Amino acid sequence: MIKHPQNIRFLKRAIELAKSVKGSTSPNPAVGAVLVKNNHIISEGATQKPGSDHAEVVAIKNAKGQSYGSTLYVTLEPCCTYGRTPPCTNLIIEKGIQQVIIGVLDPNPKVNGRGIEVLINSGIKVEYGFFEDEINTINEDFNKYITKNIPYGIAKYAMTLDGKIATGKGDSKWISSEQSRNIVHHLRNQVDAVLVGVNTVICDNPELNVRLENKHKDPIRVIIDSQGRTPFHSKVFQDKNKTIFVLKKTALNENHRIRFINECQNNGKQIIYDDSDGDKISLKKVFQELVKLDIISVLIEGGGDILSSSLQEHLVDKIICFIAPKIVLGKQGIFPFGGTGYEKIEDAIPVNKLTFKQVENDIMVTGYVNYDLN
């Protein structure tokens, strides 16, 4: 337990700072730091863009020479290794900070506990292990990436009360409320990439961007398009936002492949080829390629085929579902998850840690997929 109530306030403030930069620090974690002296905050800091200062460094610089004898509150264990930047532990020691209160240990195997050890060996008092669930939720994408070297997958969809994400004619605008759609823009603002199938592009011609006043960035768009069917006049081709097309080289005839490559080059788009066996693109292979590009979080917004494939390939970690009070009727509507499905309920994939939130007239359901129980 943190010994004094005011310490809770200082660490809570560090958590707020970490949340404020979520989506702008990848592939680094979002971290907040607060420097305190005589029970007063003297400076604050949050992780900057990759290659720039970590939260602790920002806070120390903002202290302008007042850090000697202070206490540092930081959401994540300070790093003790050289990466894009020098170790934060070195600067903490150098600037005479006398105590460090840490939310959680860094899951990075190169750091995990070693940063604390360096500080203690230098005579600095250290306490850690506070608000762990809240802080780990902020960096759940980083935690998976740094331990398993694969992006964190979030499946997002909106459906009617009778379980349809679109009518039999493919119409899906708008199932969810305006406020629910605004939440989706906040989700996009916090992830590195948004992934859809080519049918979504053909039917909806979406921009897949962030429409917020104070956004961090637009996510990279990943279009699963085995045969290169994306229309060249579509928004994902014509605008300037980063877009990756995933193709099957064997599925394209030579003339179309050359034209598709030229269109991508002319419009600044990137191509990833999937060389796995069969006609279907392996989403797992796609995720393995995305992590090489420092993409550590993917919002999966595709239709039923993409959603079910990503779930079957164990790529979905979190599900966010908006349930709208509407009923489509009929047998021809599109369901969020396709495929052949399981024959027995006992084989169904469990979803844990459910939370529910009313958004206008919609219900937002959030849960975590637990493949281990399947």
Side-chain angles (χ1 to χ4, degrees):
M1 294 289 293
I2 300 179
K3 294 179 180 179
H4 302 292
Q6 65 266 29
N7 292 355
I8 296 176
R9 175 170 60 89
F10 298 141
L11 197 47
K12 278 287 189 179
R13 176 56 187 160
I15 291 173
E16 289 176 6
L17 292 166
K19 289 179 178 178
S20 73
V21 294
K22 181 64 183 174
S24 66
T25 65
S26 180
N28 293 330
V31 180
V34 174
L35 269 177
V36 175
K37 205 169 185 179
N38 298 323
N39 291 325
H40 293 286
I41 295 176
I42 58 173
S43 66
E44 300 178 337
T47 309
Q48 302 300 293
K49 293 181 179 181
S52 301
D53 291 338
H54 290 187
E56 304 92 312
V57 176
V58 176
I60 290 171
K61 286 183 176 180
N62 287 340
K64 298 180 179 179
Q66 299 181 61
S67 59
Y68 186 85
S70 64
T71 297
L72 172 67
Y73 293 81
V74 62
T75 56
L76 188 71
E77 176 183 11
C79 65
C80 58
T81 59
Y82 282 89
R84 291 185 174 96
T85 58
C88 292
T89 50
N90 289 7
L91 189 64
I92 292 170
I93 295 166
E94 177 189 330
K95 295 301 179 179
I97 293 170
Q98 68 176 10
Q99 185 175 16
V100 180
I101 308 293
I102 299 167
V104 299
L105 297 181
D106 191 332
N108 185 347
K110 295 179 180 179
V111 178
N112 192 253
R114 293 182 177 86
I116 288 175
E117 185 179 352
V118 169
L119 296 175
I120 291 174
N121 289 341
S122 298
I124 296 174
K125 296 178 182 178
V126 177
E127 293 183 58
Y128 65 92
F130 310 105
F131 305 112
E132 291 175 280
D133 288 344
E134 186 173 0
I135 295 170
N136 282 329
T137 297
I138 296 171
N139 289 314
E140 55 196 4
D141 50 356
F142 171 77
N143 294 348
K144 182 183 180 183
Y145 153 73
I146 205 66
T147 56
K148 298 185 178 180
N149 195 37
I150 196 164
Y152 188 83
I154 304 169
K156 184 281 302 178
Y157 58 95
M159 71 178 190
T160 61
L161 277 177
D162 53 340
K164 310 288 179 55
I165 61 172
T167 66
K169 298 279 188 181
D171 181 37
S172 61
K173 290 188 176 180
W174 295 103
I175 289 177
S176 60
S177 66
E178 183 177 353
Q179 193 172 336
S180 293
R181 298 195 297 274
N182 186 60
I183 290 175
V184 173
H185 284 287
H186 283 280
L187 288 171
R188 290 178 184 171
N189 194 39
Q190 294 182 346
V191 298
D192 296 329
V194 55
L195 182 148
V196 299
V198 64
N199 288 332
T200 296
V201 176
I202 293 172
C203 293
D204 299 338
N205 193 21
E207 295 178 82
L208 301 173
N209 59 1
V210 176
R211 292 189 283 278
L212 299 173
E213 287 187 11
N214 299 313
K215 67 182 182 181
H216 294 309
K217 64 183 185 309
D218 288 310
I220 297 171
R221 299 174 300 205
V222 181
I223 314 299
I224 305 300
D225 185 7
S226 61
Q227 300 178 44
R229 295 191 296 123
T230 301
F232 296 138
H233 64 268
S234 63
K235 294 174 182 176
V236 295
F237 244 123
Q238 294 301 321
D239 66 22
K240 296 181 180 180
N241 291 357
K242 291 184 179 179
T243 307
I244 298 173
F245 292 99
V246 184
L247 308 177
K248 274 279 190 182
K249 188 178 292 187
T250 55
L252 282 70
N253 67 56
E254 187 66 16
N255 289 337
H256 182 65
R257 187 169 69 85
I258 292 173
R259 187 185 175 195
F260 200 95
I261 291 172
N262 288 337
E263 289 288 339
C264 284
Q265 290 176 341
N266 293 337
N267 290 282
K269 310 305 180 184
Q270 185 175 348
I271 293 175
I272 290 178
Y273 288 109
D274 173 33
D275 58 0
S276 60
D277 295 334
D279 295 330
K280 192 174 182 180
I281 285 175
S282 166
L283 293 182
K284 189 170 185 178
K285 286 280 186 71
V286 174
F287 271 50
Q288 289 169 345
E289 290 301 314
L290 294 180
V291 80
K292 296 176 184 177
L293 302 174
D294 283 342
I295 293 173
I296 72 168
S297 56
V298 179
L299 185 62
I300 305 165
E301 293 196 42
D305 289 340
I306 294 294
L307 287 169
S308 57
S309 294
S310 58
L311 196 63
Q312 288 168 345
E313 295 186 52
H314 289 198
L315 299 173
V316 178
D317 299 283
K318 187 176 186 177
I319 290 179
I320 298 175
C321 170
F322 296 92
I323 303 174
K326 301 170 184 178
I327 298 174
V328 172
L329 295 177
K331 298 180 179 180
Q332 304 304 315
I334 300 173
F335 295 96
F337 296 97
T340 55
Y342 297 105
E343 294 183 359
K344 297 180 180 180
I345 291 295
E346 66 185 29
D347 295 328
I349 298 171
V351 181
N352 300 335
K353 300 179 182 178
L354 293 174
T355 58
F356 306 89
K357 177 182 180 181
Q358 184 161 351
V359 183
E360 290 188 30
N361 290 326
D362 300 341
I363 299 296
M364 177 181 173
V365 182
T366 303
Y368 293 84
V369 181
N370 192 336
Y371 299 104
D372 294 336
L373 297 179
N374 180 237

